Amino acid sequence: MPINIWMVEDNSRYRKSLVAVINNTPGMYCDQAFSACEEAFDAMEVEAHPDVILLDIGLPGMSGIKGIQKFKSYAPDVHIVILTIYEDNDTVFDALCEGASGYLLKDSTQDKIVDSIREVLAGGAPLNMRIAQKVLQLFSKIKIKRDTNYGLTEREKEILQYIVAGLTKQQIADKIFLSFHTVNTHIKNIYKKLQVTTKAAVVSKAFNENLFKAGN
Amino acid sequence: MPINIWMVEDNSRYRKSLVAVINNTPGMYCDQAFSACEEAFDAMEVEAHPDVILLDIGLPGMSGIKGIQKFKSYAPDVHIVILTIYEDNDTVFDALCEGASGYLLKDSTQDKIVDSIREVLAGGAPLNMRIAQKVLQLFSKIKIKRDTNYGLTEREKEILQYIVAGLTKQQIADKIFLSFHTVNTHIKNIYKKLQVTTKAAVVSKAFNENLFKAGN
DNA sequence: CTGAATATACCACGAACGTGCGATTGATTA
DNA sequence: TAATCAATCGCACGTTCGTGGTATATTCAG
């Protein structure tokens, strides 16, 4: 059966042009196109749900970002592909967190957009080249932090885990069969190495710098 | 100038086959191919550095994952494209964190691999369809957590920030011009809402559940 | 108008924490 | 062999925290 596509895009020229392209492509059709999320929500109440929604972000009324979840509440399995001019980190990040299945930029060719519709239904995640690069950069940022060990010993790392877990010094001592004083000493040493002075700060630093994972 | 490509792949048939394809492609060449990272490191010491390294993960000796950073230490600007059969979450995640510029699976067509080499040099991030999907799923997981606000008020969120930053109650009071007692009360309420009993636990929960960002 | 929620403020007490000392043992390394 | 480091244990003091109360002003929805 042909792919049912909806489109939400306030630029009528761009919208009409792309709708025409889709309707001239075998295997897919777009009979619903809107200039605002609100109109599309009304249609979701009465029409058969689409397979894919091509969604702009810079819209009058509700933004595409907020619209993602709303569309998903109507049709949990719908694939939402963002099609926008925005490529700043925050917008991309927010859209992906909201559950977009793909992210294209409007400078994409019409062929690329049509291909992406097929790709998302095949279980893929069409991403513009520059968007994919941004996404990967987010990962490598995580790594940088994970390298700084602060020279914690094994025992100290172990105790660090329990601090993060929220145990008191006495509870930690009981857990690993040490005296309260020993735990106290270890924690003092952890403070020196991490250059902090409270448990809350240790937890904060531990998360910010990914002081977990045994390896390295 | 043509693209200089190296390859690290222990399956000699696959390696030779792909090297041949690359060398038959105008604009790129592969004159160095290895069956282990260690061999490639030796070559990095004496040969001109490549533009792109196609790197397997399941290798004898050092794994491709650990190899990524090592290659980057020789040539910080080299683009490393993973080419492997592994597509489990941990492997993908680790590779991207280490700084891979792309991630392909070995069932990719040779055309796709050649295209990806060009794409990565054009500033893109070639990802296999299924890998891209995994990556996007990681983002939507973040979102789920961010929804659970625990009904914190604006004031409480504000104070939460300072707790995470490691300030004492008195310091927080001074910072936002409130009495110590008021801050104390707010923190008590935060504890009730988050169901914790210590500052360390608050910090832990705040990080684990992304209790940041004002939006929603 | 009337609760409910929010923000503000105060007090007191015991528990937990942070810190400055000192000390012994065993393993590793220079 | 001497020195360093990790791990263990100990005490004392002042500070901060967590928790049980109580109370007032404001705002906002029912």
Side-chain angles (χ1 to χ4, degrees):
Chain A
M1 59 190 74
I3 304 166
N4 182 6
I5 299 159
W6 285 15
M7 188 167 179
V8 185
E9 164 63 58
D10 61 324
N11 181 319
S12 65
R13 267 180 62 197
Y14 187 84
R15 185 179 67 238
K16 284 172 186 168
S17 158
L18 192 51
V19 168
V21 169
I22 290 170
N23 283 328
N24 281 325
T25 303
M28 58 181 69
Y29 68 99
C30 176
D31 59 7
Q32 301 279 340
F34 312 91
S35 57
C37 285
E38 290 80 355
E39 300 169 25
F41 298 149
D42 290 343
M44 289 295 274
E45 308 257 9
V46 294
E47 304 285 337
H49 294 164
D51 302 303
V52 177
I53 300 176
L54 295 178
L55 182 59
D56 191 13
I57 286 184
L59 292 167
M62 180 181 285
S63 81
I65 298 282
K66 296 213 169 183
I68 295 173
Q69 275 298 312
K70 185 91 174 172
F71 280 119
K72 292 238 167 188
S73 71
Y74 284 112
D77 295 332
V78 70
H79 290 283
I80 295 174
V81 176
I82 300 297
L83 183 55
T84 185
I85 54 164
Y86 297 96
E87 52 180 309
D88 60 290
N89 280 331
D90 282 352
T91 304
V92 172
F93 184 75
D94 286 346
L96 298 186
C97 285
E98 293 293 329
S101 299
Y103 200 111
L104 304 177
L105 296 178
K106 283 193 182 168
D107 58 17
S108 304
T109 62
Q110 295 179 324
D111 277 357
K112 172 71 185 160
I113 294 173
V114 167
D115 284 347
S116 295
I117 291 170
R118 294 201 191 92
E119 187 182 342
V120 79
L121 282 170
L127 295 177
N128 171 279
M129 204 176 80
R130 292 197 296 281
I131 302 300
Q133 193 195 22
K134 268 181 208 297
V135 169
L136 257 56
Q137 281 167 354
L138 283 171
F139 281 94
S140 50
K141 280 179 191 162
I142 298 174
K143 164 62 182 172
I144 297 167
K145 303 168 180 171
R146 210 197 288 171
D147 274 344
T148 45
N149 280 34
Y150 291 93
L152 292 184
T153 68
E154 285 310 307
R155 201 47 147 176
E156 287 162 355
K157 283 183 198 167
E158 187 185 5
I159 289 176
L160 174 60
Q161 306 294 319
Y162 291 116
I163 292 176
V164 172
L167 302 194
T168 68
K169 293 172 178 179
Q170 187 58 59
Q171 287 171 327
I172 296 172
D174 295 344
K175 199 98 180 178
I176 55 183
F177 307 107
L178 286 180
S179 95
F180 169 86
H181 304 291
T182 305
V183 172
N184 198 27
T185 302
H186 283 309
I187 292 179
K188 276 191 285 192
N189 291 331
I190 292 172
Y191 287 177
K192 282 206 184 87
K193 289 180 181 176
L194 299 200
Q195 302 202 72
V196 297
T197 56
T198 68
K199 286 170 118 187
V202 166
V203 177
S204 200
K205 201 141 193 166
F207 274 99
N208 267 316
E209 321 214 351
N210 272 83
L211 262 33
F212 301 109
K213 298 218 168 185
N216 165 274
Chain B
M1 59 190 74
I3 304 167
N4 181 6
I5 298 160
W6 284 14
M7 189 167 178
V8 185
E9 164 62 58
D10 60 325
N11 181 318
S12 63
R13 268 179 60 196
Y14 187 83
R15 185 180 67 237
K16 284 171 185 167
S17 159
L18 192 51
V19 168
V21 169
I22 290 170
N23 284 328
N24 281 325
T25 303
M28 58 181 69
Y29 68 99
C30 177
D31 58 6
Q32 301 279 341
F34 313 91
S35 57
C37 285
E38 290 81 355
E39 300 169 25
F41 298 150
D42 291 342
M44 289 295 274
E45 308 257 8
V46 293
E47 304 284 336
H49 293 164
D51 302 303
V52 176
I53 299 175
L54 295 178
L55 182 59
D56 191 13
I57 285 184
L59 292 167
M62 180 181 286
S63 82
I65 297 282
K66 295 212 170 185
I68 296 173
Q69 275 299 310
K70 187 91 173 170
F71 280 118
K72 293 238 167 189
S73 70
Y74 285 112
D77 294 334
V78 69
H79 290 283
I80 294 174
V81 176
I82 300 297
L83 183 55
T84 185
I85 55 165
Y86 298 96
E87 53 181 308
D88 60 292
N89 280 332
D90 281 354
T91 304
V92 172
F93 184 76
D94 286 346
L96 298 186
C97 285
E98 293 294 329
S101 300
Y103 200 111
L104 304 176
L105 295 177
K106 283 195 183 167
D107 59 17
S108 304
T109 63
Q110 296 179 324
D111 276 357
K112 173 69 185 162
I113 294 172
V114 167
D115 284 347
S116 294
I117 291 170
R118 294 201 192 92
E119 187 181 343
V120 78
L121 282 170
L127 295 177
N128 171 279
M129 204 175 82
R130 292 198 296 281
I131 302 300
Q133 194 195 21
K134 267 181 209 296
V135 169
L136 256 57
Q137 281 167 355
L138 283 171
F139 281 94
S140 50
K141 279 179 192 160
I142 297 174
K143 165 63 181 171
I144 295 167
K145 301 172 181 172
R146 208 198 288 171
D147 273 345
T148 46
N149 280 34
Y150 292 93
L152 292 184
T153 67
E154 284 309 307
R155 200 48 145 176
E156 287 162 356
K157 285 182 199 168
E158 186 185 5
I159 289 176
L160 173 60
Q161 306 293 318
Y162 291 115
I163 293 177
V164 171
L167 301 194
T168 69
K169 293 173 177 178
Q170 187 59 60
Q171 286 171 328
I172 296 172
D174 294 344
K175 200 98 179 179
I176 56 182
F177 306 107
L178 287 180
S179 94
F180 167 88
H181 304 289
T182 305
V183 172
N184 197 28
T185 303
H186 283 309
I187 291 179
K188 277 192 285 191
N189 292 330
I190 292 172
Y191 287 176
K192 283 208 183 88
K193 289 181 180 176
L194 299 200
Q195 302 202 72
V196 296
T197 56
T198 67
K199 288 168 114 186
V202 166
V203 177
S204 205
K205 199 142 195 167
F207 275 99
N208 267 317
E209 322 213 353
N210 273 84
L211 261 33
F212 300 109
K213 295 220 169 187
N216 164 274

